Amino acid sequence: MPATGQEPKHAKLLAWLDEVVELTQPDAIHYCDGSDAEWDQLVDHLVEKGTVVRLNDERKPNSIYTRTDPDDVARVEDQTFICSNDERNAGPTNNWMNPDEMKRIMRGLYDGCMRGRTMYVMPFCMGHLDAADPKFGVEVSDSAYVVLSMRIMTRMGAETMARMEETEADFVPCLHSVGMPLDEGQEDVPWPCSEEKYIVHFTDERMIWSYGSGYGGNSLLGKKCYALRIASVMARDEGWLAEHMLILKLTSPEGRAYHVAAAFPSACGKTNLAMLDPTVAGWTVETLGDDIAWLRFGEDGRLYATNPETGFFGVAPGTGHDTNPNAMKSLEAGNSIFTNVGLTPDGDVWWEGMTKEKPETLTDWKGREWHGSTGPVGGRPDEKAAHPNSRFCTPIEQCPILSDEYHNPEGVPLDAIIFGGRRENTIPLVTQSRDWQHGVFMGATCSSETTAAASGAVGVLRRDPMAMLPFIGYHVADYIQHWIDLGKNADPEKLPKIFYVNWFRRDAEHRFMWPGFGENSRVLKWIAERVDGKVDAVETPIGYLPTDDGLDVEGLDIDPDDLHDVVTFQPQEWADEAPRIGRWFDQFGWRLPREMVDELRRLETAVGRR
Ligand code: GTP
Ligand code: SPV
Ligand code: MN
């Protein structure tokens, strides 16, 4: 079989590749080195196939645009499986199938699935190559789009392969296929994929098999599949945490620096908070990560956060110079991939929220001629130019406010952890937990309205513990217990303080009451002052809230009644909330940590239950 690139010398890898080649029967094999030349060559190949177009080199240098199949636009949670050996370890929140049964089904699908295609071999490392315990993976895929994306999002290529060979490192095998073999002479489609999709994690074996989708979270296997689902299991066994969190550095006017990690569900504001442009005078924010954080205790007893990724795979709609100027600047530096947004006649991209005015005309995410005033030709006038889960993929090093500490393999010591969700009522703007255990309760009972980041209904309220519901690789109750235990074994003085936020409260007209984005710096300032014990708070049954003059609202444009509603504890809403939490916990059975029962009883006693 024709092979290009440098064949690896890693024995376990070679043995695995032999197996995969025999099963999937590709026409050719390419060993990826992650170089610029390889990028150019793969872009040319995808342009030729009609999968991507090159964007205007003056507006978006070295960048490409693609549209997916309209049915392959988001993570597929219904088809995502945790195949632990013991069903009980997958828990009530994950799909499970017996690993042998799953392998039988998937071997059937993989049989000959790469016929007519090239198989790409991508060695990658999640986190720094110089980390104390570097986490390697090798993804095999028949998609060149996946190769380009993995190059941006991970440390992928020759350097990683060399390190794996030198150290004879173990790795997580990650097998991906779009699931559309080509018969002799059969013409390809721009976005090959399959109706049948499986995103599968063999958690005891530490192995990932993905079939049928080319979309980010389903196909870039270093990201959600490895760095969250598989890593959460490694973290359980090794005493750390793999979390769906951004990491930022906040600096006060006096020069005191704070490190903060925040967990919000998909499409609930991580990328935006990570790159925030503060409106409060004198405060600055620097970015360390926007989606995934690995948390480990350092020798000094503090909890350190690292970002295992090297890029941003961010939600495009709503990203503009007014809401997230730092993301816009990262994109303008080029070297980026845009998926399912609008393509303008001058070879640039556009999406809702990028500018106030809509362009007169463009090509929409479905490839139709689209007009700002009338929508797509042949469609409804309210149809958007960009899919709500359209994404940009861009190197983190292009972020103008990237913190120097991003390059430190040890990471940064956390001062605060924030949990949050998208709730139109009940949850106040910001609440501080009484202690670690209460903070874990806040995280464990976090809830959010569903978004377009996963297929299925949007706007449905669901519990999303630590924003990890779709990403916990084991039993949710054991995961919560792991959080509790890590806190118990630590020095309470050194633990980060835990907060709960909600930017998304709405009024009777369904408008957001809190302006959000850069104004969220006012909340970060309060959090920093609480960490230092510099500002008082009101104790309520749900935790500590800002006093009437606690939040810095100088120059903030908000109706005083709205501000009051957003910031205060509303007992009647919590009397409704407590039984909902009880019902969520009921499904955990005996595995529900006793500490969470205690916290719920305490809440119920304080707020009553309806
Ligand atoms: P994933 O990449 O899916 O994990 O999403 P994320 O958590 O990084 O969310 P992101 O920052 O991309 O924001 C998602 C959507 O929420 C975008 O359309 C934003 O414009 C919007 N958004 C972010 N922050 C705020 C905010 O403070 N207020 C309001 N109203 N909307 C926000
Ligand atoms: C998310 O859905 O939380 C994302 C995008 O960050 S994906 O990589 O598709 O999971
Ligand atoms: Mn995410």
Side-chain angles (χ1 to χ4, degrees):
M1 193 191 353
T4 46
Q6 182 73 45
E7 189 183 340
K9 292 184 270 296
H10 190 289
K12 177 183 163 182
L13 175 56
L14 288 170
W16 179 60
L17 292 176
D18 279 347
E19 251 177 67
V20 174
V21 166
E22 184 170 321
L23 179 61
T24 62
Q25 296 160 35
D27 276 13
I29 183 162
H30 175 70
Y31 303 102
C32 299
D33 61 10
S35 63
D36 289 347
E38 181 177 271
W39 167 279
D40 289 339
Q41 201 188 333
L42 292 176
V43 170
D44 284 344
H45 167 68
L46 287 174
V47 168
E48 206 172 297
K49 269 169 43 96
T51 304
V52 311
V53 297
R54 283 184 193 276
L55 292 172
N56 182 325
D57 228 31
E58 266 152 43
R59 307 282 179 79
K60 299 285 184 306
N62 193 31
S63 297
I64 55 176
Y65 167 86
T66 186
R67 291 187 288 269
T68 71
D69 183 294
D71 290 325
D72 195 23
V73 294
R75 284 183 292 101
V76 284
E77 295 181 4
D78 289 349
Q79 287 302 111
T80 300
F81 289 80
I82 298 298
C83 292
S84 45
N85 293 338
D86 184 339
E87 179 172 6
R88 287 169 297 189
N89 288 336
T93 57
N94 285 310
N95 299 313
W96 178 86
M97 201 188 286
N98 176 290
D100 293 333
E101 172 66 6
M102 181 60 91
K103 283 180 188 169
R104 199 187 54 75
I105 293 173
M106 290 191 76
R107 282 208 182 95
L109 294 169
Y110 281 136
D111 188 2
C113 73
M114 294 194 190
R115 257 184 289 117
R117 299 191 183 279
T118 297
M119 174 175 126
Y120 300 97
V121 179
M122 294 167 265
F124 65 92
C125 183
M126 299 314 291
H128 281 257
L129 277 172
D130 296 326
D133 178 22
K135 298 292 188 195
F136 294 105
V138 178
E139 177 162 356
V140 164
S141 171
D142 51 12
S143 161
Y145 168 86
V146 166
V147 178
L148 297 177
S149 306
M150 282 291 284
R151 184 197 184 217
I152 295 175
M153 296 305 297
T154 72
R155 292 167 177 85
M156 187 277 278
E159 203 184 335
T160 297
M161 192 65 248
R163 191 66 67 92
M164 284 175 62
E165 287 170 344
E166 271 160 36
T167 58
E168 288 173 40
D170 204 0
F171 65 93
V172 172
C174 306
L175 175 54
H176 169 255
S177 172
V178 296
M180 200 193 137
L182 293 170
D183 290 330
E184 196 72 43
Q186 183 185 342
E187 213 181 312
D188 205 358
V189 295
W191 187 269
C193 61
S194 162
E195 244 172 77
E196 198 163 7
K197 296 178 174 53
Y198 280 100
I199 319 298
V200 179
H201 309 75
F202 300 99
T203 45
D204 295 290
E205 214 177 317
R206 316 272 204 253
M207 180 169 83
I208 302 162
W209 282 9
S210 167
Y211 180 89
S213 169
Y215 167 76
N218 302 328
S219 68
L220 314 181
L221 302 186
K223 195 172 176 47
K224 294 306 172 38
C225 299
Y226 187 151
L228 288 179
R229 297 194 190 96
I230 295 291
S232 67
V233 178
M234 294 173 164
R236 174 197 65 191
D237 296 347
E238 297 167 11
W240 49 284
L241 293 162
E243 297 299 323
H244 193 199
M245 289 178 174
L246 67 94
I247 314 166
L248 64 81
K249 176 179 176 180
L250 175 72
T251 307
S252 73
E254 298 77 39
R256 153 91 157 105
Y258 307 81
H259 295 106
V260 180
F264 310 147
S266 302
C268 291
K270 287 182 300 301
T271 300
N272 278 271
L273 191 68
M275 293 182 218
L276 168 132
D277 191 16
T279 53
V280 278
W283 291 74
T284 58
V285 162
E286 291 162 76
T287 308
L288 286 132
D290 83 320
D291 198 53
I292 298 178
W294 286 355
L295 314 184
R296 293 185 177 85
F297 284 97
E299 271 167 22
D300 60 359
R302 295 193 65 190
L303 190 58
Y304 283 71
T306 56
N307 172 11
E309 301 189 284
T310 57
F312 303 128
F313 185 64
V315 177
T319 309
H321 279 288
D322 51 342
T323 55
N324 193 347
N326 292 310
M328 294 305 291
K329 287 178 202 155
S330 311
L331 300 175
E332 282 153 12
N335 312 309
S336 302
I337 305 172
F338 298 87
T339 304
N340 287 337
V341 300
L343 177 66
T344 62
D346 57 351
D348 203 350
V349 288
W350 188 84
W351 48 76
E352 280 71 20
M354 185 164 115
T355 54
K356 289 231 165 56
E357 271 117 73
K358 296 179 187 175
E360 222 161 273
T361 180
L362 50 68
T363 306
D364 76 0
W365 76 274
K366 286 184 172 170
R368 299 173 298 186
E369 179 181 330
W370 181 97
H371 296 278
S373 46
T374 54
V377 172
R380 297 188 319 273
D382 62 337
E383 280 186 77
K384 307 264 195 275
H387 185 275
N389 191 43
S390 53
R391 299 259 166 183
F392 54 76
C393 181
T394 197
I396 194 169
E397 300 221 23
Q398 292 179 190
C399 178
I401 58 163
L402 183 68
S403 164
D404 285 344
E405 288 162 284
Y406 166 77
H407 301 285
N408 181 353
E410 309 286 307
V412 293
L414 292 179
D415 298 285
I417 289 175
I418 303 176
F419 295 116
R422 191 181 275 271
R423 286 291 299 266
E424 58 180 302
N425 53 42
T426 311
I427 312 300
L429 183 66
V430 57
T431 314
Q432 184 184 3
S433 76
R434 288 185 298 273
D435 52 24
W436 181 266
Q437 177 177 305
H438 180 226
V440 174
F441 178 75
M442 286 174 162
T445 59
C446 225
S447 56
S448 198
E449 294 143 25
T450 51
T451 66
S455 60
V458 167
V460 180
L461 187 68
R462 70 175 187 187
R463 294 292 138 188
D464 194 342
M466 283 78 174
M468 281 285 283
L469 180 74
F471 309 120
I472 305 170
Y474 57 106
H475 195 298
V476 55
D478 293 353
Y479 167 75
I480 292 165
Q481 187 71 58
H482 185 51
W483 263 88
I484 296 168
D485 293 346
L486 287 181
K488 277 203 177 133
N489 295 329
D491 175 349
E493 293 299 313
K494 291 182 178 170
L495 280 171
K497 303 282 181 279
I498 300 182
F499 298 81
Y500 192 1
V501 304
N502 178 24
W503 316 139
F504 298 97
R505 202 177 173 99
R506 294 185 194 249
D507 64 14
E509 274 80 56
H510 219 62
R511 284 184 299 235
F512 292 119
M513 296 160 90
W514 175 253
F517 301 102
E519 303 294 8
N520 295 333
S521 57
R522 299 170 189 278
V523 174
L524 291 181
K525 178 182 172 185
W526 187 77
I527 287 172
E529 289 172 346
R530 287 297 297 167
V531 164
D532 284 344
K534 275 198 203 150
V535 61
D536 283 340
V538 186
E539 186 164 8
T540 76
I542 59 168
Y544 297 109
L545 298 188
T547 57
D548 281 344
D549 57 357
L551 268 191
D552 181 347
V553 291
E554 203 186 308
L556 178 68
D557 183 20
I558 188 171
D559 179 278
D561 290 338
D562 281 356
L563 181 63
H564 179 265
D565 282 356
V566 164
V567 173
T568 49
F569 158 63
Q570 317 235 355
Q572 71 295 343
E573 290 181 337
W574 280 90
D576 292 337
E577 183 77 357
R580 289 191 211 115
I581 294 174
R583 283 196 293 278
W584 154 246
F585 277 164
D586 280 348
Q587 61 176 324
F588 295 12
W590 62 266
R591 268 168 120 135
L592 176 66
R594 183 184 41 75
E595 294 85 347
M596 295 297 99
V597 181
D598 294 346
E599 291 293 334
L600 177 59
R601 293 287 167 268
R602 182 170 175 165
L603 177 69
E604 285 172 342
T605 308
V607 302
R609 40 195 311 191
R610 292 227 195 146

